[in-house]
Amino acid sequence: MITLASDFGTPYPAVMKGVLRQRTDARLVDVAHDFPRQDVRTAAFWLREVLPYFPPATHLVVIDPGVGTDRDAIVVRAGEHTLVGPDNGVLLPAARRLAGDAGRLESSLIDEDGLDPVEPTTDQSEPNSHSQHPPQGRSKTFHGRDVFAPAAAAVHDADIADLESLAWLEPTTADVDLELPTATLDAERAIGEVLAVDGFGNVITNVPGPALEDRERVRANGESVPVGETFAAVPVGDRLATVGSHGYVELDVNQGRGDEAFDLEPGDRVVLEPVPGDDS
């Protein structure tokens, strides 16, 4: 299995799938192609939360604002999984979770020049004299097609314990790291920040869910809101704090957008405090 994740929207993921289909019979599964454009941290968060639910697979990830620059392309072995993508930190939070405490976590650089070139399957040996198609070559702006898809196909078809057989891989320890921020908690307050906003407008913080334990209300950035186990714990249109499926505190609106109601976006500071007089 090869999973695909990007910020491409359409139609670029289809091109990557075409390259993969040329080179492997692996099952292809889309994770998402609507990650916020060029937002490495948000994509890293979602991949960390989503990829552990897959069986062993090769994960092709292209959130790559540095495409065409001197940033490296890498393959990361994480337990029984492999991840392929740019060396900008987007792979590592998910890789650490996939590897687990005792799992194998190793990285290799991709030598792009060692990959077989990508070409369309149509016969262009005798192009029409009026053809508007330029000569095919490795693009500086679409490494998803020309570097990462070919690498993912080869990595998938190689045994995970025998990636050294791929001559264009070189072991490295020089990864660009990305650590998702952690919240600060004490008896009086939790200080964190927004990690992501999902498509429903739910504001996902990095505050662990137990911060809401036994609370009926909390102050979120100074504003008192009820705590509920479900969105429907409050009337439609009302705000609440709850714990999302990922285990972190969310600031939401029942059938509305929490990001708009709380005026928050990724990276913003969030302070959760007990409400005076709430002895629950």
Side-chain angles (χ1 to χ4, degrees), residues 188-190 207 209-228 239-242 249-251 262 270-276 278 280:
E188 296 300 321
R189 66 178 63 184
V207 177
L212 298 184
E213 194 170 279
D214 299 325
R215 293 289 173 190
E216 292 184 1
R217 301 186 71 86
V218 293
R219 288 192 183 278
N221 289 355
E223 299 184 62
S224 177
V225 294
V227 174
R239 300 184 299 173
L240 77 156
T242 190
V249 173
E250 291 185 3
L251 300 175
F262 288 92
V270 174
V271 179
L272 300 179
E273 300 171 293
V275 172
D278 180 6
S280 55

Side-chain angles (χ1 to χ4, degrees), residues 7-32:
D7 57 356
F8 288 162
T10 59
Y12 299 111
V15 182
M16 291 195 296
K17 289 181 180 180
V19 172
L20 291 167
R21 287 296 187 199
Q22 287 187 43
R23 298 178 180 229
T24 178
D25 293 328
R27 179 185 178 193
L28 307 182
V29 178
D30 290 306
V31 173

